[in-house]
Amino acid sequence: MNPNLEFHKQKLAEILESHERGEAKTYTFEEFKSLQDKHIEELRKKYQKKASGQ
């Protein structure tokens, strides 16, 4: 079995369980887009450092 697939199945199960308990965080489109852009920028910086050998 693919360990990456198992990880994502587990994370999804955790999210669904927290949603059922009313604990899941919901975001407006603007909040989600902002978080997504921040995450993408962090990934770019991370991989630029790896590419430059730092």
Side-chain angles (χ1 to χ4, degrees):
M1 181 76 48
N2 183 339
N4 199 25
L5 178 62
E6 289 302 313
F7 170 79
H8 289 295
K9 282 183 178 179
Q10 178 62 34
K11 293 306 280 179
L12 178 58
E14 291 171 12
I15 291 167
L16 292 174
E17 288 171 4
S18 69
H19 181 71
E20 287 177 5
R21 292 189 304 265
E23 299 170 353
K25 170 75 173 122
T26 58
Y27 297 95
T28 65
F29 177 77
E30 291 80 15
E31 289 172 323
F32 176 81
K33 186 72 173 136
S34 174
L35 288 169
Q36 183 182 42
D37 291 345
K38 180 180 175 186
H39 180 68
I40 290 169
E41 187 59 33
E42 289 171 356
L43 288 174
R44 281 190 184 123
K45 288 178 184 177
K46 176 181 175 183
Y47 288 107
Q48 283 175 349
K49 284 181 182 179
K50 283 187 176 183
S52 67
Q54 292 182 352

